Amino acid sequence: MELASKYNPTDIESKWYQYWLDNKFFSSKPDGREPYTIVIPPPNVTGVLHMGHMLNNTIQDVLIRRARMQGKNACWVPGTDHASIATEAKVVNKLAQEGIKKNDLTREEFLKHAWEWTHKHGGIILEQLKKLGASCDWDRTCFTMDEKRSESVIKVFVDLYNKGMIYRGVKMVNWDPKALTALSDEEVIHKEQHGKLYYIRYKIEGEAGYAVVATTRPETIFGDVAVCVNPNDEKTACFRGKKLIVPIVNRVVPVIEDEYVDMEFGTGCLKVTPAHDVNDYTLGLKYNLETIDIFNDNGTLNAAGLHYNGKDRFQVRKEIEQELLDKGLMEKIEDYVNKVGFSERTDVPIEPKLSTQWFLKMENLAKPALEAVMNETIKFVPEKFKNTYRYWMENIRDWNISRQLWWGHQIPAYYLPDGQFVVAENKEAAYQKALSIVNYPLSIDELRQDEDCLDTWFSSWLWPISVFDGINHPENEDINYYYPTNDLVTAPDIIFFWVARMIMSGYEYRQKACFTNVYFTGIVRDKLGRKMSKQLGNSPDPIELMEKYGADGVRMGLLLTAPAGNDIPFDDSLCEQGRNFNNKIWNAFRLVKGWEVADIKQPETAKLAIKWFDSILAKTVAEMDDLFSKYRLSEALMAIYKLFWDEFSAWYLEIAKPAYQQPIDRATYEATLGFFDALLRLLHPFMPFITEELWQNLDDRKEGESIMISLQPKVKNFDEIILTDFEKIKEVIAGVRTIRLQKNIPNKDQLQLQIVGEATNNYDAVVSKLCNLSSIETVSEKASGSISFLVETTEYAVPMANLINVDEEITKMEAEIKYFEGFIASVMKKLGNEKFVANAKPEIVENERKKKADAESKIASLQEGIAALKK
């Protein structure tokens, strides 16, 4: 098939992707081969592809394609996550645009809208991944709310409840006033905020004085039930045993003593608001204090806020500041920087809130999961994340698994009319359980299911098991063959949300690790080092990038600077470099396939080139194997990039190619095609599309053949001596070419090369061809008027007689000497200035001395050249 003169990704990408799909090359079924399994970190069902997805899925595809080409039964399971908070927010916004409020709908009506939204937008991101070349087994596509996964989630909830590991209780939780739901600790991002510290006067009951209490949240004084001081703090000793009056609300509260109070913060007097601060809640329990909840779920104040009832918390903060000033109850206000918890999803400040929620006990689940990572049953790449993981696991708290949302898995708890509840997989099973605990007539319709749904992560923590239906059918063929999976590729920011919890569920439900290795990607950042985001507008559209540079170009651009765990400074120029490499491969292929082949004798140069390249190819295969074993994918890509660009194109093809308009011998041609085949197979995991196109054109292929199911080149022995010798030969060739360039000698003009002293001449034919030499001879003394250079300890000389005008050359060199002498004089003027030497930074003085030494070296070299020309 005639190849186009220019590589056009658009022409080939969809063609080959469809070919792979048609031939079911991505499909995997259990068989006798070694399995290699990856489960995709499921993107949000309503999401679209961003640069983080691009990086993550490119790495997964590289690993899965390579495993497939190693003869393993490679299975990459795709899927999406229902993303409770994000999806529900999008559906609520869509309904609002249509003039519909969520609260005006029944749960069933709302869910109908949510499913419509999901069916409409749910497949977008997976279709976009196909453009990237992702070789997932699409027949295995899962969704965290599809029938099997939903059944798994409910089954696990019931099982853990029956084991006493899930309980319902009132606790201080993180409340998201925008999403109107509780959040787990891991869903709270702490950000540094510039706020104020308010010093408020609390009058002493029955006395003229007052205590000054410092707070960052004056709007919460309506919930104050005590003021706490440290018993060891002398400056607050005068308040012990007294009662204070909370400003505005005029509530009389006791002064309590506890060493929890930081004597250095503010005035040493701490207002205690048990309903709206985690630490205050603990104090409240300890001292049996009243709890007054002052907030509505949406962050407005309730009736406890008196005349601020119904106003937003931040508006109240502004207004109460003025009221306290007007009433003479504000001592002072200072600027203050502190860390505030924000909802990871909605980016609004969370409210600590007492709430009845469902919790999962984590302590016993965490133990085997911690041990597995610390003893490297599960390996983290890079290892630095082990410490982060250990710290979290050793300080783990019970997981708040309930969310006040409708989109998600509804909690399978059913309430009886008398307030009791039962937990069961469905209403019918719940009814049977309920009948066994009541002594009054009960109909199934009297059971009311809990309104809350489960945290999204409660479904995705089962992902490596549930995608193979291992919860519902623990001994099925798929789970026994593919589990545990091999590699997980994910971002470090979900190490707690997801990675740790998957490891826990693996040990709880399979009694073994759920994967062998976890590869943590870095964060894709822009040229200024900022994280890419929609808000900053600094994230390129991945689809547009692929349209401009081709999928292979973008894949390569992302991987070139993507060491595991380190951030990726992304720039479009990287994709351009990727596209240029595609063009290099394409043009090299067209060159080789354009040669006329004849049954003629093989030149000595070609024999040497083949022997050398066979060794450097074998060395690179071994190097790449080692780099892949250490998950150093960027370096593996760079190894094959350099092999193709520097060694194959710049050296091998230059040596092997026939003279202009001359045919090539068949042996060299076949060897070159063999090398091209091996190079394409090494490149394929990184650049699947161009390699398939060229591999198909490399030979006559039958329908159903593909590079992606051919085997990777195997590690074999190579000749270190020829590799060392060839590096020296490259230096000799570079030396001759430098002389040609410096003296403006055309490439068509032949040169002579003299080797001064003893030297082996095994590669003279290669040097002669690439340097266009008329002769290479070994001499005891170089010819008069020659220019020489050293390679290690051997001197090489190129006679210049008849090639240059000696007088002109000497005049030019003398002018250069004059320039450098003037330059040295200006440097010496500086160095002779005592003030400069005494006051300038040492490195600046040293730099001037280096300039002088470099110029003197150049003068000596020029003088030596003049002397040689005058001989």
Side-chain angles (χ1 to χ4, degrees):
M1 190 166 69
E2 185 73 23
L3 277 180
S5 59
K6 278 189 173 181
Y7 173 59
N8 184 353
T10 314
D11 294 344
I12 70 164
E13 288 175 359
S14 55
K15 171 182 78 175
W16 289 120
Y17 200 86
Q18 193 56 52
Y19 178 78
W20 296 330
L21 288 174
D22 291 344
N23 285 280
K24 296 209 169 285
F25 292 141
F26 305 157
S27 182
S28 175
K29 298 276 190 300
D31 60 24
R33 290 175 293 166
E34 177 190 345
Y36 176 85
T37 318
I38 292 180
V39 292
I40 202 170
N44 287 1
V45 69
T46 58
V48 292
L49 206 60
H50 58 59
M51 295 307 288
H53 293 133
M54 291 284 282
L55 172 67
N56 187 296
N57 286 282
T58 296
I59 291 167
Q60 289 177 82
D61 196 47
V62 168
L63 294 172
I64 208 86
R65 284 180 182 273
R66 189 166 189 273
R68 201 179 278 122
M69 293 177 78
Q70 289 175 318
K72 296 173 186 174
N73 188 350
C75 178
W76 183 11
V77 183
T80 50
D81 190 291
H82 65 278
S84 291
I85 296 175
T87 305
E88 181 147 328
K90 286 186 176 181
V91 176
V92 168
N93 288 340
K94 173 193 170 275
L95 292 172
Q97 288 167 11
E98 297 168 5
I100 304 169
K101 288 182 181 174
K102 176 189 170 184
N103 294 343
D104 294 339
L105 300 174
T106 64
R107 187 186 195 111
E108 289 66 32
E109 287 168 341
F110 177 81
L111 289 176
K112 189 180 174 190
H113 287 285
W115 277 110
E116 281 174 10
W117 175 269
T118 300
H119 292 317
K120 184 177 178 182
H121 299 275
I124 293 173
I125 195 162
L126 298 184
E127 288 305 309
Q128 290 176 323
L129 283 177
K130 291 177 182 178
K131 291 188 181 297
L132 183 66
S135 57
C136 303
D137 184 348
W138 298 109
D139 294 337
R140 291 183 176 272
T141 302
C142 298
F143 175 46
T144 51
M145 272 181 67
D146 65 24
E147 193 176 331
K148 285 182 182 176
R149 263 48 61 181
S150 294
E151 190 182 331
S152 303
V153 169
I154 301 305
K155 197 181 283 282
V156 164
F157 182 96
V158 173
D159 176 62
L160 293 173
Y161 178 80
N162 290 337
K163 288 174 179 172
M165 294 168 72
I166 285 178
Y167 63 94
R168 185 172 182 261
V170 177
K171 276 194 180 186
M172 181 70 71
V173 298
N174 307 298
W175 185 263
D176 183 334
K178 186 175 181 183
L180 302 178
T181 181
L183 305 173
S184 68
D185 292 341
E186 294 71 48
E187 290 168 298
V188 178
I189 310 295
H190 292 275
K191 300 183 193 178
E192 209 166 71
Q193 298 290 297
H194 292 270
K196 293 177 182 177
L197 189 59
Y198 303 87
Y199 290 79
I200 303 170
R201 295 170 178 169
Y202 286 55
K203 290 179 181 177
I204 304 171
E205 186 188 36
E207 293 182 26
Y210 55 79
V212 177
V213 177
T215 180
T216 57
R217 306 188 65 203
E219 69 277 9
T220 62
I221 62 172
F222 299 104
D224 288 0
V225 293
V227 170
C228 192
V229 297
N230 192 309
N232 305 310
D233 190 355
E234 286 306 314
K235 69 178 183 292
T236 59
C238 58
F239 303 121
R240 292 175 194 162
K242 297 187 177 179
K243 293 193 173 180
L244 302 177
I245 301 168
V246 180
I248 301 175
V249 70
N250 294 322
R251 183 183 302 121
V252 177
V253 298
V255 174
I256 60 173
E257 297 175 60
D258 197 283
E259 289 186 345
Y260 161 73
V261 177
D262 180 358
M263 294 187 284
E264 302 303 315
F265 177 78
T267 63
C269 292
L270 175 81
K271 64 193 278 301
V272 182
T273 319
H276 300 294
D277 182 275
V278 175
N279 298 311
D280 290 9
Y281 177 61
T282 306
L283 282 173
L285 292 175
K286 187 173 180 181
Y287 295 99
N288 198 27
L289 299 173
E290 183 186 3
T291 299
I292 303 171
D293 189 343
I294 68 165
F295 288 121
N296 295 311
D297 287 349
N298 63 358
T300 59
L301 271 71
N302 60 25
L306 305 178
H307 46 289
Y308 293 108
N309 184 8
K311 288 190 176 180
D312 181 75
R313 53 190 168 149
F314 296 115
Q315 183 61 34
V316 174
R317 186 176 298 178
K318 289 178 190 171
E319 293 182 18
I320 206 168
E321 175 186 333
Q322 191 58 49
E323 183 176 356
L324 290 166
L325 284 167
D326 292 344
K327 290 182 173 175
L329 295 171
M330 186 76 78
E331 179 85 1
K332 62 177 177 176
I333 302 170
E334 292 177 346
D335 288 334
Y336 188 70
V337 176
N338 67 332
K339 288 205 165 178
V340 176
F342 280 73
S343 166
E344 189 248 352
R345 283 291 175 202
T346 61
D347 199 34
V348 299
I350 60 104
E351 275 298 336
K353 179 181 171 69
L354 278 174
S355 180
T356 303
Q357 303 286 341
W358 291 87
F359 296 89
L360 173 59
K361 294 177 184 176
M362 300 297 276
E363 190 178 352
N364 291 333
L365 285 169
K367 283 174 187 171
L370 173 59
E371 192 180 323
V373 171
M374 299 323 290
N375 68 20
E376 298 202 338
T377 300
I378 296 172
K379 287 184 182 147
F380 279 7
V381 181
E383 275 194 25
K384 66 181 180 183
F385 290 109
K386 279 172 73 175
N387 287 334
T388 314
Y389 179 85
R390 182 179 63 196
Y391 177 79
W392 186 75
M393 295 293 270
E394 287 177 346
N395 295 279
I396 201 161
R397 292 165 63 180
D398 288 355
W399 177 11
N400 173 7
I401 56 173
S402 49
R403 296 292 177 270
Q404 287 61 58
L405 301 165
W406 283 350
W407 176 245
H409 302 100
Q410 192 172 356
I411 288 174
Y414 297 84
Y415 297 92
L416 283 63
D418 61 7
Q420 294 186 83
F421 66 84
V422 292
V423 170
E425 289 181 31
N426 53 56
K427 197 169 186 178
E428 289 70 26
Y431 181 56
Q432 294 306 315
K433 267 193 176 184
L435 289 175
S436 69
I437 63 169
V438 297
N439 55 9
Y440 55 85
L442 179 72
S443 75
I444 193 168
D445 295 331
E446 289 178 278
L447 292 184
R448 179 182 60 82
Q449 189 171 354
D450 196 302
E451 286 287 307
D452 290 353
C453 74
L454 287 160
D455 180 6
T456 300
W457 298 103
F458 195 83
S459 51
S460 47
W461 81 315
L462 304 172
W463 193 244
I465 305 172
S466 66
V467 295
F468 300 114
D469 204 18
I471 297 292
N472 300 320
H473 301 97
E475 294 304 319
N476 78 73
E477 186 183 20
D478 276 3
I479 193 75
N480 286 331
Y481 180 75
Y482 292 113
Y483 187 96
T485 66
N486 295 76
D487 295 323
L488 177 76
V489 181
T490 188
D493 55 357
I494 55 173
I495 190 170
F496 310 128
F497 285 130
W498 194 45
V499 179
R501 290 168 179 167
M502 281 192 289
I503 297 171
M504 291 182 215
S505 74
Y507 280 100
E508 180 66 19
Y509 287 101
R510 301 295 300 177
Q511 293 74 52
K512 62 174 82 167
C514 49
F515 28 68
T516 309
N517 305 289
V518 183
Y519 178 108
F520 291 107
T521 64
I523 294 168
V524 186
R525 298 188 181 276
D526 66 12
K527 285 184 277 190
L528 301 175
R530 300 173 304 174
K531 185 177 177 180
M532 288 187 169
S533 69
K534 283 182 192 171
Q535 286 79 9
L536 288 173
N538 63 345
S539 182
D541 181 332
I543 301 300
E544 288 177 12
L545 278 178
M546 288 191 281
E547 285 169 356
K548 185 175 182 182
Y549 299 107
D552 289 336
V554 177
R555 287 167 68 115
M556 186 178 170
L558 277 165
L559 288 173
L560 278 172
T561 57
N566 291 333
D567 291 352
I568 294 89
F570 182 78
D571 188 344
D572 283 18
S573 62
L574 292 167
C575 297
E576 196 168 342
Q577 188 180 347
R579 181 178 63 186
N580 292 344
F581 187 45
N582 275 284
N583 291 335
K584 185 78 173 177
I585 298 166
W586 189 264
N587 292 335
F589 187 84
R590 290 186 71 247
L591 170 74
V592 171
K593 291 296 276 185
W595 288 339
E596 182 190 339
V597 186
D599 292 313
I600 54 176
K601 187 182 175 186
Q602 186 180 35
E604 189 62 29
T605 50
K607 285 180 185 173
L608 290 168
I610 291 165
K611 190 179 175 189
W612 163 71
F613 192 77
D614 189 56
S615 278
I616 200 161
L617 173 64
K619 185 182 180 183
T620 305
V621 169
E623 184 186 344
M624 288 180 72
D625 266 21
D626 179 60
L627 290 169
F628 265 103
S629 74
K630 295 167 182 169
Y631 293 86
R632 285 154 64 176
L633 272 61
S634 286
E635 291 171 61
L637 171 58
M638 190 50 72
I640 181 62
Y641 174 85
K642 285 179 176 173
L643 179 68
F644 193 97
W645 194 293
D646 297 342
E647 311 297 355
F648 185 69
S649 296
W651 288 105
Y652 174 79
L653 290 181
E654 286 302 306
I655 301 167
K657 73 180 181 184
Y660 182 63
Q661 291 190 335
Q662 295 300 309
I664 192 167
D665 68 281
R666 193 169 299 281
T668 303
Y669 181 69
E670 294 297 338
T672 305
L673 292 186
F675 289 145
F676 224 116
D677 177 74
L679 289 166
L680 290 175
R681 283 181 284 135
L682 288 173
L683 281 164
H684 178 76
F686 301 102
M687 309 169 79
F689 293 109
I690 190 170
T691 50
E692 183 72 84
E693 174 76 4
L694 297 182
W695 189 83
Q696 293 285 347
N697 280 276
L698 198 60
D699 203 349
D700 290 331
R701 307 289 183 196
K702 297 185 184 74
E703 178 65 29
E705 286 189 282
S706 171
I707 189 172
M708 68 173 284
I709 53 170
S710 66
L711 293 176
Q712 282 274 299
K714 293 227 174 3
V715 175
K716 64 178 186 179
N717 294 330
F718 53 88
D719 187 339
E720 280 281 10
I721 295 169
I722 195 172
L723 294 180
T724 306
D725 288 349
F726 231 84
E727 288 309 305
K728 292 178 193 170
I729 293 307
K730 287 180 188 178
E731 286 188 57
V732 173
I733 294 164
V736 176
R737 285 174 172 174
T738 299
I739 293 169
R740 206 182 262 284
L741 191 66
Q742 287 174 343
K743 303 306 173 190
N744 294 318
I745 302 167
N747 288 329
K748 62 182 175 58
D749 295 353
Q750 287 195 317
L751 299 175
Q752 294 173 289
L753 181 65
Q754 296 178 337
I755 305 170
V756 183
E758 292 295 316
T760 54
N761 302 323
N762 294 345
Y763 304 96
D764 284 1
V766 172
V767 177
S768 186
K769 178 176 181 177
L770 293 193
C771 295
N772 191 18
L773 303 178
S774 58
S775 66
I776 299 178
E777 57 179 341
T778 304
V779 296
S780 56
E781 191 178 332
K782 63 188 175 188
S784 170
S786 61
I787 298 175
S788 64
F789 59 91
L790 283 173
V791 172
E792 293 184 351
T793 56
T794 305
E795 186 178 13
Y796 293 84
V798 177
M800 288 286 107
N802 306 322
L803 288 171
I804 58 172
N805 184 314
V806 173
D807 292 337
E808 276 182 19
E809 196 64 28
I810 290 172
T811 303
K812 191 164 51 168
M813 291 164 88
E814 284 172 341
E816 283 188 66
I817 289 171
K818 197 171 180 183
Y819 165 77
F820 283 118
E821 285 172 341
F823 179 75
I824 288 171
S826 70
V827 173
M828 286 306 296
K829 198 173 177 183
K830 274 187 186 178
L831 293 174
N833 183 335
E834 287 180 17
K835 257 188 177 180
F836 170 77
V837 175
N839 297 324
K841 288 181 181 176
E843 57 266 30
I844 292 174
V845 176
E846 187 54 40
N847 192 41
E848 292 300 317
R849 288 184 178 133
K850 187 177 181 302
K851 286 180 187 175
K852 175 177 174 281
D854 288 347
E856 286 171 343
S857 172
K858 283 171 183 170
I859 287 172
S861 178
L862 287 162
Q863 286 171 337
E864 195 180 303
I866 290 170
L869 289 170
K870 284 181 175 177
K871 277 186 183 179

